[in-house]
Structure formats: structure tokens, C-alpha cells
Amino acid sequence: PLPVIVIGAGHAGVECAFALRQAGVPQDILLIGDEPHLPYERPPLSKAMLSDALDIERVQLKPMAAFDKARITLRRGERVTRLDTVARTVDLAGGESLRYSECILATGGRARLLPGMDAAQVHAIRTLDDALRLKPELVPGQRLVVIGAGYLGLEIASTAAKLGLHVTVLENGRLMAGKASPYTEARFAALHRDAGVELFTGVSVVGCEGQPGQWRVTVNGGAAHPPATLDGAQFDADLLLVSIGALPNTELAEAAGIACHDGIEVDALCQTSAPGVYAIGDCANAHSQHGQRRCRIESVQNALFQARTVAAQLAGKPVAALRPPTFWSEQCGKRLQMAGLVLLDAPIDDHVTHTDRGWVVERFQHGVLRAVEAVDSPIDFVQKTRLIAAPLSAETPACAPLLTEPQHA
Ligand code: FAD
């Protein structure tokens, strides 16, 4: 029989390959990834990797022996350049063409940059190589400007401040992409400022001139906090880190004629619009029955869940019940855990409780618990997450139709 081919050897791709084998899929499993390293996990790249003496082996997902034992053929440092969903082949950059029975796209995403930016000049964090390039530059006394106060930007800002750099964060919207409650957002803003980070929200970067060691960043707009008009203000920096989100790697799918919109569109079983082709992880745009909308969920838990969903299907096994998406972040010595998704355009009623070491925010909509945040309160997090409302019906007019029936708990 023809092999199952998994494209992309990140969290989603690796998990899928192993889950396929564990589920008893008889075919050869071929995992093709374009990065040179053994597959690794990304969360430490913006956390412990930058401050601790964390070696590469500690971030590896599996040792090479585990791939051999599971009879998974890992082809690393190889890029798939073309997918033909009719002939069921993938072409590699080296010229080889491989046939598949099923193909799983786990191509992830890449760091977004501002228009005109040269990736070799500025820093961004997506890959192990990015982290290895940034780490030696985090030297006490250096001036670091971080563009974007999302989770990654804030994690790195916090680490850099702790290492003794002068850190400025410029954000045009809200902290953590507006995904946290206003309470948690305000508390983290205060924690960052207390740690010495200069944090400005409500400012847009309109120019970045210079080169490594000599950057000048110009902004526009009135900073929401601190209240000031920063039109035309300039910030000088030795290091520039751009952390304004990720773009899904959809090129292969798009060129193959697969439906894409902010990611590769999939149904609740991760099937794309092409027969025998699935998409999982950061590259997949799925209908979330928790948040009642289509979205890409960039989290390890989502990557693992979707990987196992596809593996179970291909092995003819039952698919696990959908659980609320979860995410975590570490900033200013605190661990933030989040679960669930709030509905768009519905008022949110936040209930804040203080715990021994942190706080918990329960997020209700129309009297129903939709999401939970917990800071340094892992037990409360687990308990409250269990109470999050069951998935909603997927049939909402605002969302693209599902290709197949959703799997309900
Ligand atoms: P990726 O990990 O991006 O893997 C995709 C792989 O496919 C890449 O190696 C890519 O090079 C490869 N590829 C792409 N195209 C091709 C091709 N044509 N041929 C061959 N290979 C290809 N999530 C959390 O839940 N908690 C956290 O604290 C957290 N922290 C994070 C910190 C950082 C710095 C980053 C970048 C992400 C973090 N995330 C976190 C998100 C989480 O890491 C991602 O959701 C997860 O890695 C997604 O896995 P993936 O396999 O879908 O994609």
C-alpha cells in the first residue's frame, strides 16, 4: 500500500505520525519537514530557551530512536514544493516525486513582518534558529524594542528585562491580542511596567530605519497607556524584535486548489476540500464549536488534538470528544493558563476571584461559562475548565458550512 505522508514536522505533524502508528495504521508513514533539526517544541523558544542554559536536546519532541522504533521515516531538511491531489503525489525540492494514500498538511505558520522588513536584519521568533540567533544578543544594557505585545512579544520582553536589557514594547491594539480579560490584561501590563518594561499601547509603528545596533523606530498615535500623544515619537534601539503574529503556510494547499481562507479550511474532522487531504495545527482553519466561529487556534493542545483526530479517523477508530481549547503563557515569573473561547459580539461578564498566589477569571456570556483564565492557580484552572459549557451547535450563519457533521461529546 502507498504511504501516508505528513508534511511538516512540528508539534502537529510529529504527533500525527506517532498517533497513526499507535492507532494501528498499517502503511508506511513518511514525515517530511524542511527544518534541519530533529523536531522540537516551540513554547520554550520565547521562554526558558532565552534565559536558561537550555540545550537543543531538551526542546526536542522525540529522540531519533523513537522515530525508528515507531517505523516513521523522518525526512528532515526536505521541502515539499508541490501537492497534486488528483494524482496523489507530493514533489520534493530535490526533484523526487512521492505517491501517497492520504496526505496530512501540518505546515504551521511563519512570523509576520512589517512591509519592507528584511528578515535577516530584524529578529522574530518562530524557529529554533530564530531563538539561537536572538539568545546571544540579549546582553545586559542593550536597548531592545519589541513591536507587538502579543503573548510571544511579552514573554520575550519579560525575559529580556530580567536579563538586564532596556526594553520598550510598542503595541497598536490591546495586550495579548485582546484575548485575555481586561482584568488580566491590566494586571500583566502593571507587572511588566513594574519589571522595568516601557510599555505603550495604542501606537502604530510607521517607520523602522537603521540596521542591527542602530535602529530608530517611529510611531504614530496617542498611546492609550500611558495617556500621551506619541505622534512622530522615535525610539532608538540596538535590537529590534518583531512579534506581530504568524501567517499560516498555505501555499502548497492553495496551489493545489484546496479551499483556504486565513489557513487551510477544514471541517470538524480536519478534512480539507480535497479528498484524502487533511490539515492540522496552526495551518488549519477550523470551525470551533466552542467559539462558534471559524478560526485558527495556535496552541500546542489544538495541534495535538487535531493530529489525534486525523489519526483515529484513518485507523477507523472513534474520534475523541472535543474539549475546550487551552493555552498557556509565562510572563514576569507568572504562569497564565487559558481555556475556552468567548463568542464574538456577545457581552462578557467576567468574575474575578483571588487565590493564594494569583487569580482566576471566569468568563460568562448569557449566563454560560465560556472561558477561564488562571494565573498561578493550576488546581482552580483544572476545576473551572471542567465547567466550561459544552460545544455549541456548529450551524451558525456567520460561519462557513462544515463539510461533514461535527463530532460532539
Ligand atoms: P509548526 O510548529 O509551525 O510546524 C510546522 C512545520 O512545517 C515547520 O517546521 C515548517 O518549517 C514545516 N513546513 C512548512 N512548510 C513545509 C513544506 N512545504 N515542506 C516541509 N516542511 C514544511 N502554544 C502553546 O500552547 N503554549 C505556549 O506557551 C506557546 N508558546 C509558543 C512560543 C513560540 C515562540 C511559538 C513560535 C509558538 C508558541 N506556541 C505556544 C504555539 C505552538 O508552538 C504552535 O501552536 C505549534 O507549534 C503548532 O504546531 P504545528 O505543527 O501546527 O506548526
Side-chain angles (χ1 to χ4, degrees):
L2 293 172
V4 178
I5 294 187
V6 183
I7 306 174
H11 240 120
V14 170
E15 180 69 17
C16 192
F18 279 85
L20 281 164
R21 186 56 83 221
Q22 273 155 16
V25 166
Q27 293 113 294
D28 285 345
I29 298 168
L30 196 54
L31 176 61
I32 306 172
D34 60 1
E35 293 190 64
H37 310 282
L38 264 187
Y40 58 88
E41 46 178 333
R42 295 185 198 276
L45 303 184
S46 53
K47 305 180 182 70
M49 182 93 201
L50 293 177
S51 54
D52 303 351
L54 200 63
D55 54 36
I56 295 183
E57 274 169 30
R58 294 265 305 277
V59 297
Q60 279 167 3
L61 284 168
K62 309 260 184 197
M64 192 58 223
F67 290 91
D68 296 338
K69 192 165 171 226
R71 289 176 292 112
I72 294 165
T73 307
L74 171 64
R75 296 186 59 162
R76 55 176 153 144
E78 298 210 50
R79 185 161 181 78
V80 175
T81 51
R82 187 166 173 267
L83 167 66
D84 184 331
T85 63
V86 178
R88 295 205 175 202
T89 55
V90 298
D91 295 349
L92 300 182
E96 211 176 332
S97 188
L98 304 166
R99 292 180 67 205
Y100 65 80
S101 60
E102 278 89 20
C103 176
I104 296 135
L105 294 162
T107 49
R110 60 185 181 278
R112 250 185 83 199
L113 296 179
L114 289 170
M117 271 184 169
D118 177 355
Q121 298 273 304
V122 300
H123 285 281
I125 285 276
R126 178 75 202 180
T127 65
L128 180 55
D129 288 338
D130 292 338
L132 293 174
R133 186 163 78 91
L134 177 63
K135 189 178 163 89
E137 301 214 30
L138 296 179
V139 175
Q142 291 279 293
R143 296 161 306 167
L144 167 69
V145 164
V146 179
I147 303 177
Y151 294 98
L152 305 192
L154 289 176
E155 287 178 357
I156 295 167
S158 138
T159 303
K162 204 168 147 209
L163 289 170
L165 283 86
H166 302 289
V167 184
T168 304
V169 179
L170 305 170
E171 166 61 52
N172 66 0
R174 290 178 50 191
L175 262 54
M176 299 183 261
K179 287 179 186 153
S181 65
Y183 182 83
T184 296
E185 189 180 340
R187 287 289 300 266
F188 271 98
L191 285 165
H192 281 283
R193 291 194 174 107
D194 289 349
V197 173
E198 266 198 307
L199 175 59
F200 298 98
T201 55
V203 292
S204 303
V205 170
V206 292
C208 291
E209 272 110 46
Q211 56 191 321
Q214 277 182 326
W215 290 107
R216 176 154 289 182
V217 181
T218 310
V219 300
N220 253 353
H225 194 104
T229 299
L230 286 181
D231 270 345
Q234 294 185 319
F235 297 86
D236 291 336
D238 303 299
L239 291 171
L240 187 59
L241 175 85
V242 187
S243 189
I244 53 171
L247 297 171
N249 291 326
T250 55
E251 292 75 6
L252 272 183
E254 278 179 56
I258 293 173
C260 293
H261 178 72
D262 181 32
I264 304 166
E265 289 193 11
V266 293
D267 65 11
L269 296 173
C270 301
Q271 294 176 10
T272 69
S273 60
V277 181
Y278 301 78
I280 56 175
D282 283 13
C283 69
N285 185 315
H287 182 109
S288 164
Q289 292 144 55
H290 277 282
Q292 222 171 9
R293 59 178 186 261
R294 273 202 166 276
C295 56
R296 288 189 308 110
I297 298 180
E298 296 175 57
S299 85
V300 168
Q301 181 253 11
N302 177 65
L304 300 181
F305 180 79
Q306 293 187 328
R308 291 171 195 154
T309 297
V310 170
Q313 259 178 97
L314 296 195
K317 300 254 165 83
V319 171
L322 186 73
R323 300 225 312 273
T326 62
F327 185 77
W328 79 93
S329 176
E330 287 160 23
Q331 299 167 38
C332 306
K334 300 219 165 282
R335 185 174 169 89
L336 164 66
Q337 292 173 284
M338 306 173 88
L341 279 179
V342 290
L343 312 180
L344 293 176
D345 305 325
I348 306 173
D349 183 15
D350 286 337
H351 290 202
V352 181
T353 318
H354 294 274
T355 59
D356 285 350
R357 294 184 54 226
W359 66 90
V360 176
V361 183
E362 291 164 272
R363 316 203 74 195
F364 292 89
Q365 290 181 301
H366 304 304
V368 174
L369 183 64
R370 292 262 162 244
V372 172
E373 293 164 8
V375 173
D376 285 349
S377 310
I379 295 169
D380 300 77
F381 178 73
V382 172
Q383 286 168 350
K384 301 287 184 198
T385 298
R386 285 200 196 113
L387 306 176
I388 289 179
L392 299 148
S393 159
E395 265 96 83
T396 58
C399 299
L402 286 172
L403 304 176
T404 61
E405 284 301 305
Q407 297 293 296
H408 283 293

